[in-house]
Amino acid sequence: MQHGPAVRRRKLGAELRALRTLAGLTSGQAASRVGWHQSKVSRIETGRSGVKAADVHLLLDAYEVKDAQLRQLLVALAGADDRGGRHHWWHAYRGLLPPAYRDFISLESQACRVRTLETNVVPGLLQTPDYARAVTRAALDGLPDEQVDALVEVRLARQDVLRARRPLRLSVILDESVLRRQIGGAQVLAGQLKRLQEAAQLPHVRLQVLPFAAGEHRGLLGSFVIFSFPNIADLDVVVLDHLTSSLYLERKEDLQAYTDAFNSLLGQALSPEESTDHIAGIGDGA
């Protein structure tokens, strides 16, 4: 298990090494092209040191990488500004958001697909403002109102990935307990259930409910998120949230285990159509 920045450094380094090899260069030759010592290239490729966005651009220029989307993704993995010095929107909340959360948002903003099992709360990408506020207050008891409001703003801003020109493909499995837990009270929950029904109609959102009747299942140990990214093979990352931190898993065997678990849960869950009807029924008091 690794924290997000370590995973990203290693992923970035592996991809840069592959691109260097494809360009037919040794690490020493690559270093000469950009005016560095060979050891700096080696440290970057092994993930032992971080790398600035400007340095990623230098290497990509040296390797004659023209794919704009690939370049953008690799710069994002560096966790830094782009060439124009523009900050990602969440940097405005740097003083409020812990590093693990900022890293999670960065991964989410660059992913092309997210698969998630939620056993406790509605995923942040589908929360209403009132629901998000209630969850934030419960998780961070005693936080001043202005900070709660700011965190709700962040939660809602994250949802822009679902409204982008190329929206994130989101596949969600919700344990039925999520739909019945009255976070924020009955009225807030009713609004949240309606929001889920609306989201389920989006072509890039697949929402399925794991009903109580399904009995025991492979998700009983807790929620998880699987991020997938465009253009780079083997970049999937599994994220496990804990009370004070997030853990990132990248080993192939871990990725396979969670992918298998998610696919197994899909088989136990209601179909998307049945799930929408089930949510509506709960909203009507069934």
Side-chain angles (χ1 to χ4, degrees):
M1 293 185 181
Q2 299 286 341
H3 291 290
V7 171
R8 285 156 46 121
R9 284 198 305 270
R10 190 155 52 250
K11 294 288 189 182
L12 175 59
E15 185 62 18
L16 289 172
R17 183 172 61 250
L19 290 170
R20 172 179 59 77
T21 301
L22 187 63
L25 299 173
T26 66
S27 59
Q29 290 170 330
S32 296
R33 284 196 177 190
V34 296
W36 299 345
H37 192 279
Q38 187 270 341
S39 62
K40 180 174 180 177
V41 174
S42 295
R43 289 196 304 272
I44 290 173
E45 290 185 352
T46 57
R48 286 180 291 164
S49 66
V51 55
K52 296 179 180 179
D55 289 343
V56 174
H57 282 297
L58 282 176
L59 290 173
L60 295 178
D61 289 342
Y63 304 156
E64 299 182 357
V65 176
K66 307 298 184 183
D67 187 322
Q69 189 176 14
L70 175 58
R71 292 178 69 105
Q72 181 182 12
L73 179 57
L74 292 177
V75 169
L77 282 176
D81 302 339
D82 64 14
R83 177 174 280 180
R86 296 186 302 272
H87 287 70
H88 296 298
W89 64 264
W90 56 90
H91 286 196
Y93 300 89
R94 180 179 293 274
L96 178 65
L97 305 179
Y101 191 23
R102 294 200 304 267
D103 199 62
F104 182 93
I105 295 172
S106 179
L107 289 175
E108 183 179 74
S109 70
Q110 294 299 322
C112 65
R113 182 187 182 196
V114 168
R115 287 164 286 174
T116 181
L117 165 72
E118 291 292 347
T119 59
N120 296 305
V121 298
V122 171
L125 292 178
L126 300 179
Q127 290 179 6
T128 65
D130 289 338
Y131 188 96
R133 184 167 287 103
V135 169
T136 302
R137 288 193 182 283
L140 301 170
D141 187 37
L143 204 64
D145 288 346
E146 60 271 18
Q147 293 188 24
V148 171
D149 291 341
L151 288 171
V152 172
E153 287 179 10
V154 171
R155 186 68 53 91
L156 299 180
R158 285 173 49 199
Q159 298 176 6
D160 284 346
V161 295
L162 297 177
R163 296 185 287 268
R165 184 171 60 87
R166 293 181 179 177
L168 176 75
R169 288 184 290 126
L170 178 64
S171 181
V172 179
I173 299 176
L174 291 179
D175 187 88
E176 183 169 345
S177 60
V178 174
L179 306 174
R180 296 189 180 276
R181 184 172 291 113
Q182 291 198 5
I183 291 177
Q187 186 173 355
V188 170
L189 179 60
Q192 181 60 71
L193 294 178
K194 183 177 180 181
R195 165 67 178 136
L196 289 175
Q197 293 175 65
E198 294 169 349
Q201 304 306 312
L202 297 173
H204 50 281
V205 174
R206 182 182 179 92
L207 178 60
Q208 293 180 246
V209 174
L210 194 61
F212 289 145
E216 65 276 9
H217 55 76
R218 296 178 70 178
L220 289 174
L221 294 180
S223 305
F224 59 86
V225 181
I226 306 174
F227 288 114
S228 297
F229 301 86
N231 292 332
I232 301 180
D234 301 323
L235 192 58
D236 286 11
V237 177
V238 175
V239 183
L240 307 177
D241 270 336
H242 296 272
L243 183 61
T244 58
S245 65
S246 295
L247 294 174
Y248 295 69
L249 292 82
E250 59 166 338
R251 296 188 311 164
K252 288 186 177 180
E253 51 266 46
D254 291 328
L255 292 169
Q256 190 62 56
Y258 279 88
T259 298
D260 289 345
F262 191 83
N263 291 337
S264 174
L265 292 167
L266 286 177
Q268 289 182 268
L270 301 174
S271 70
E273 296 76 19
E274 292 170 332
S275 296
T276 301
D277 290 342
H278 196 71
I279 294 171
I282 292 175
D284 291 338

